[in-house]
Amino acid sequence: MTDPDFRDAFHRHKDVLYRFAYRMTGSGAAAEDTVQDTFLVLWRRPEAYDPGRGALRAFLLGIARNLLLKRARDERSYDPLVDESSICPPIDVVGLERAQIVARAIQALPPLQREAVILAEYEEMTLEEIARATEAEIAAVKSRLHRARENLRRMLAPLLEKKGTFYGTK
């Protein structure tokens, strides 16, 4: 990878990586560190990227994901990264703006569910792209998305009126 190629990759993908890392951690500093570390990995081992296996964006998101999972393991070595048994309670919506409530709900999801929702809904990645980035089977990605959406429905239920519309809208 040449210097201009690297600079182009940085400018094209830094914002996507930052948004992903920020939504996963809720920390701007952690997101910045993750973006920097992701590009350091690419700089040190550009041959690891194989265009035949997928887009550079998915490759970089996969690196960022691995860095974030390592960070989570290092910070909470006693808390396993599983999503099967985690059910999230409703969020107290009094005094919070809708965007804050949704962001808080996403942040409350277990890490594997959170990353699936972020990649699918915010980054608009396909199931195949998410599977490649997370090194998971498509069935696992579907399962994580389903569980995440169920948890979000449960947590955000207070926002819904009896008629099924969002609170405060008609």
Side-chain angles (χ1 to χ4, degrees), residues 153-164:
R153 273 194 255 315
R154 190 175 10 269
M155 287 188 288
L156 299 173
L159 286 178
L160 300 176
E161 290 181 337
K162 292 178 185 175
K163 295 179 184 173

mmCIF file with all atom_site columns, all heavy atoms in Angstrom, residues 153-164:
data_model
loop_
_atom_site.group_PDB
_atom_site.id
_atom_site.type_symbol
_atom_site.label_atom_id
_atom_site.label_alt_id
_atom_site.label_comp_id
_atom_site.label_asym_id
_atom_site.label_entity_id
_atom_site.label_seq_id
_atom_site.pdbx_PDB_ins_code
_atom_site.Cartn_x
_atom_site.Cartn_y
_atom_site.Cartn_z
_atom_site.occupancy
_atom_site.B_iso_or_equiv
_atom_site.pdbx_formal_charge
_atom_site.auth_seq_id
_atom_site.auth_comp_id
_atom_site.auth_asym_id
_atom_site.auth_atom_id
_atom_site.pdbx_PDB_model_num
ATOM 1  N N   . ARG A 1 153 ? -36.897 -3.039 21.496 1.00 0.00 ? 153 ARG A N   1
ATOM 2  C CA  . ARG A 1 153 ? -38.362 -2.897 21.632 1.00 0.00 ? 153 ARG A CA  1
ATOM 3  C C   . ARG A 1 153 ? -38.766 -2.871 23.110 1.00 0.00 ? 153 ARG A C   1
ATOM 4  O O   . ARG A 1 153 ? -39.581 -2.067 23.535 1.00 0.00 ? 153 ARG A O   1
ATOM 5  C CB  . ARG A 1 153 ? -39.081 -4.048 20.935 1.00 0.00 ? 153 ARG A CB  1
ATOM 6  C CG  . ARG A 1 153 ? -39.349 -3.831 19.473 1.00 0.00 ? 153 ARG A CG  1
ATOM 7  C CD  . ARG A 1 153 ? -40.342 -4.826 18.928 1.00 0.00 ? 153 ARG A CD  1
ATOM 8  N NE  . ARG A 1 153 ? -39.900 -5.920 18.100 1.00 0.00 ? 153 ARG A NE  1
ATOM 9  C CZ  . ARG A 1 153 ? -39.054 -5.880 17.095 1.00 0.00 ? 153 ARG A CZ  1
ATOM 10 N NH1 . ARG A 1 153 ? -38.464 -4.780 16.768 1.00 0.00 ? 153 ARG A NH1 1
ATOM 11 N NH2 . ARG A 1 153 ? -38.773 -6.941 16.385 1.00 0.00 ? 153 ARG A NH2 1
ATOM 12 N N   . ARG A 1 154 ? -38.183 -3.764 23.878 1.00 0.00 ? 154 ARG A N   1
ATOM 13 C CA  . ARG A 1 154 ? -38.501 -3.852 25.306 1.00 0.00 ? 154 ARG A CA  1
ATOM 14 C C   . ARG A 1 154 ? -38.030 -2.587 26.043 1.00 0.00 ? 154 ARG A C   1
ATOM 15 O O   . ARG A 1 154 ? -38.775 -2.009 26.822 1.00 0.00 ? 154 ARG A O   1
ATOM 16 C CB  . ARG A 1 154 ? -37.833 -5.101 25.894 1.00 0.00 ? 154 ARG A CB  1
ATOM 17 C CG  . ARG A 1 154 ? -38.262 -5.462 27.280 1.00 0.00 ? 154 ARG A CG  1
ATOM 18 C CD  . ARG A 1 154 ? -37.689 -6.774 27.816 1.00 0.00 ? 154 ARG A CD  1
ATOM 19 N NE  . ARG A 1 154 ? -36.640 -7.438 27.075 1.00 0.00 ? 154 ARG A NE  1
ATOM 20 C CZ  . ARG A 1 154 ? -36.825 -8.362 26.118 1.00 0.00 ? 154 ARG A CZ  1
ATOM 21 N NH1 . ARG A 1 154 ? -38.043 -8.708 25.757 1.00 0.00 ? 154 ARG A NH1 1
ATOM 22 N NH2 . ARG A 1 154 ? -35.813 -8.936 25.508 1.00 0.00 ? 154 ARG A NH2 1
ATOM 23 N N   . MET A 1 155 ? -36.809 -2.162 25.768 1.00 0.00 ? 155 MET A N   1
ATOM 24 C CA  . MET A 1 155 ? -36.269 -0.993 26.463 1.00 0.00 ? 155 MET A CA  1
ATOM 25 C C   . MET A 1 155 ? -36.980 0.295  26.069 1.00 0.00 ? 155 MET A C   1
ATOM 26 O O   . MET A 1 155 ? -37.139 1.190  26.891 1.00 0.00 ? 155 MET A O   1
ATOM 27 C CB  . MET A 1 155 ? -34.768 -0.846 26.173 1.00 0.00 ? 155 MET A CB  1
ATOM 28 C CG  . MET A 1 155 ? -33.915 -1.867 26.877 1.00 0.00 ? 155 MET A CG  1
ATOM 29 S SD  . MET A 1 155 ? -32.152 -1.518 26.700 1.00 0.00 ? 155 MET A SD  1
ATOM 30 C CE  . MET A 1 155 ? -31.869 -1.913 24.994 1.00 0.00 ? 155 MET A CE  1
ATOM 31 N N   . LEU A 1 156 ? -37.390 0.382  24.816 1.00 0.00 ? 156 LEU A N   1
ATOM 32 C CA  . LEU A 1 156 ? -37.997 1.619  24.320 1.00 0.00 ? 156 LEU A CA  1
ATOM 33 C C   . LEU A 1 156 ? -39.514 1.588  24.376 1.00 0.00 ? 156 LEU A C   1
ATOM 34 O O   . LEU A 1 156 ? -40.170 2.531  23.905 1.00 0.00 ? 156 LEU A O   1
ATOM 35 C CB  . LEU A 1 156 ? -37.509 1.897  22.897 1.00 0.00 ? 156 LEU A CB  1
ATOM 36 C CG  . LEU A 1 156 ? -35.990 2.084  22.773 1.00 0.00 ? 156 LEU A CG  1
ATOM 37 C CD1 . LEU A 1 156 ? -35.579 2.192  21.317 1.00 0.00 ? 156 LEU A CD1 1
ATOM 38 C CD2 . LEU A 1 156 ? -35.525 3.288  23.566 1.00 0.00 ? 156 LEU A CD2 1
ATOM 39 N N   . ALA A 1 157 ? -40.075 0.557  24.957 1.00 0.00 ? 157 ALA A N   1
ATOM 40 C CA  . ALA A 1 157 ? -41.530 0.435  25.061 1.00 0.00 ? 157 ALA A CA  1
ATOM 41 C C   . ALA A 1 157 ? -42.188 1.661  25.692 1.00 0.00 ? 157 ALA A C   1
ATOM 42 O O   . ALA A 1 157 ? -43.267 2.063  25.254 1.00 0.00 ? 157 ALA A O   1
ATOM 43 C CB  . ALA A 1 157 ? -41.906 -0.831 25.826 1.00 0.00 ? 157 ALA A CB  1
ATOM 44 N N   . PRO A 1 158 ? -41.577 2.300  26.696 1.00 0.00 ? 158 PRO A N   1
ATOM 45 C CA  . PRO A 1 158 ? -42.216 3.489  27.272 1.00 0.00 ? 158 PRO A CA  1
ATOM 46 C C   . PRO A 1 158 ? -42.406 4.630  26.265 1.00 0.00 ? 158 PRO A C   1
ATOM 47 O O   . PRO A 1 158 ? -43.222 5.512  26.493 1.00 0.00 ? 158 PRO A O   1
ATOM 48 C CB  . PRO A 1 158 ? -41.255 3.913  28.386 1.00 0.00 ? 158 PRO A CB  1
ATOM 49 C CG  . PRO A 1 158 ? -40.552 2.657  28.766 1.00 0.00 ? 158 PRO A CG  1
ATOM 50 C CD  . PRO A 1 158 ? -40.410 1.891  27.485 1.00 0.00 ? 158 PRO A CD  1
ATOM 51 N N   . LEU A 1 159 ? -41.678 4.622  25.163 1.00 0.00 ? 159 LEU A N   1
ATOM 52 C CA  . LEU A 1 159 ? -41.839 5.664  24.148 1.00 0.00 ? 159 LEU A CA  1
ATOM 53 C C   . LEU A 1 159 ? -43.090 5.448  23.294 1.00 0.00 ? 159 LEU A C   1
ATOM 54 O O   . LEU A 1 159 ? -43.517 6.346  22.583 1.00 0.00 ? 159 LEU A O   1
ATOM 55 C CB  . LEU A 1 159 ? -40.625 5.699  23.205 1.00 0.00 ? 159 LEU A CB  1
ATOM 56 C CG  . LEU A 1 159 ? -39.345 6.294  23.743 1.00 0.00 ? 159 LEU A CG  1
ATOM 57 C CD1 . LEU A 1 159 ? -38.250 6.198  22.693 1.00 0.00 ? 159 LEU A CD1 1
ATOM 58 C CD2 . LEU A 1 159 ? -39.550 7.732  24.148 1.00 0.00 ? 159 LEU A CD2 1
ATOM 59 N N   . LEU A 1 160 ? -43.620 4.247  23.337 1.00 0.00 ? 160 LEU A N   1
ATOM 60 C CA  . LEU A 1 160 ? -44.742 3.923  22.475 1.00 0.00 ? 160 LEU A CA  1
ATOM 61 C C   . LEU A 1 160 ? -46.076 4.177  23.159 1.00 0.00 ? 160 LEU A C   1
ATOM 62 O O   . LEU A 1 160 ? -46.264 3.863  24.332 1.00 0.00 ? 160 LEU A O   1
ATOM 63 C CB  . LEU A 1 160 ? -44.669 2.454  22.039 1.00 0.00 ? 160 LEU A CB  1
ATOM 64 C CG  . LEU A 1 160 ? -43.413 2.062  21.270 1.00 0.00 ? 160 LEU A CG  1
ATOM 65 C CD1 . LEU A 1 160 ? -43.422 0.578  20.991 1.00 0.00 ? 160 LEU A CD1 1
ATOM 66 C CD2 . LEU A 1 160 ? -43.301 2.856  19.990 1.00 0.00 ? 160 LEU A CD2 1
ATOM 67 N N   . GLU A 1 161 ? -47.010 4.722  22.395 1.00 0.00 ? 161 GLU A N   1
ATOM 68 C CA  . GLU A 1 161 ? -48.369 4.883  22.903 1.00 0.00 ? 161 GLU A CA  1
ATOM 69 C C   . GLU A 1 161 ? -49.136 3.601  22.643 1.00 0.00 ? 161 GLU A C   1
ATOM 70 O O   . GLU A 1 161 ? -48.654 2.685  21.976 1.00 0.00 ? 161 GLU A O   1
ATOM 71 C CB  . GLU A 1 161 ? -49.064 6.034  22.171 1.00 0.00 ? 161 GLU A CB  1
ATOM 72 C CG  . GLU A 1 161 ? -48.519 7.380  22.523 1.00 0.00 ? 161 GLU A CG  1
ATOM 73 C CD  . GLU A 1 161 ? -49.264 8.485  21.778 1.00 0.00 ? 161 GLU A CD  1
ATOM 74 O OE1 . GLU A 1 161 ? -49.860 8.212  20.731 1.00 0.00 ? 161 GLU A OE1 1
ATOM 75 O OE2 . GLU A 1 161 ? -49.239 9.592  22.262 1.00 0.00 ? 161 GLU A OE2 1
ATOM 76 N N   . LYS A 1 162 ? -50.327 3.539  23.123 1.00 0.00 ? 162 LYS A N   1
ATOM 77 C CA  . LYS A 1 162 ? -51.160 2.348  22.921 1.00 0.00 ? 162 LYS A CA  1
ATOM 78 C C   . LYS A 1 162 ? -51.399 2.073  21.447 1.00 0.00 ? 162 LYS A C   1
ATOM 79 O O   . LYS A 1 162 ? -51.547 0.941  21.037 1.00 0.00 ? 162 LYS A O   1
ATOM 80 C CB  . LYS A 1 162 ? -52.497 2.517  23.637 1.00 0.00 ? 162 LYS A CB  1
ATOM 81 C CG  . LYS A 1 162 ? -52.355 2.522  25.130 1.00 0.00 ? 162 LYS A CG  1
ATOM 82 C CD  . LYS A 1 162 ? -53.678 2.737  25.795 1.00 0.00 ? 162 LYS A CD  1
ATOM 83 C CE  . LYS A 1 162 ? -53.484 2.871  27.303 1.00 0.00 ? 162 LYS A CE  1
ATOM 84 N NZ  . LYS A 1 162 ? -54.714 3.191  27.979 1.00 0.00 ? 162 LYS A NZ  1
ATOM 85 N N   . LYS A 1 163 ? -51.421 3.132  20.626 1.00 0.00 ? 163 LYS A N   1
ATOM 86 C CA  . LYS A 1 163 ? -51.706 2.970  19.201 1.00 0.00 ? 163 LYS A CA  1
ATOM 87 C C   . LYS A 1 163 ? -50.473 2.553  18.412 1.00 0.00 ? 163 LYS A C   1
ATOM 88 O O   . LYS A 1 163 ? -50.549 2.365  17.208 1.00 0.00 ? 163 LYS A O   1
ATOM 89 C CB  . LYS A 1 163 ? -52.268 4.272  18.624 1.00 0.00 ? 163 LYS A CB  1
ATOM 90 C CG  . LYS A 1 163 ? -53.605 4.627  19.218 1.00 0.00 ? 163 LYS A CG  1
ATOM 91 C CD  . LYS A 1 163 ? -54.099 5.929  18.644 1.00 0.00 ? 163 LYS A CD  1
ATOM 92 C CE  . LYS A 1 163 ? -55.407 6.307  19.337 1.00 0.00 ? 163 LYS A CE  1
ATOM 93 N NZ  . LYS A 1 163 ? -55.851 7.635  18.943 1.00 0.00 ? 163 LYS A NZ  1
ATOM 94 N N   . GLY A 1 164 ? -49.325 2.448  19.053 1.00 0.00 ? 164 GLY A N   1
ATOM 95 C CA  . GLY A 1 164 ? -48.131 1.982  18.366 1.00 0.00 ? 164 GLY A CA  1
ATOM 96 C C   . GLY A 1 164 ? -47.330 3.082  17.691 1.00 0.00 ? 164 GLY A C   1
ATOM 97 O O   . GLY A 1 164 ? -46.453 2.806  16.912 1.00 0.00 ? 164 GLY A O   1
#
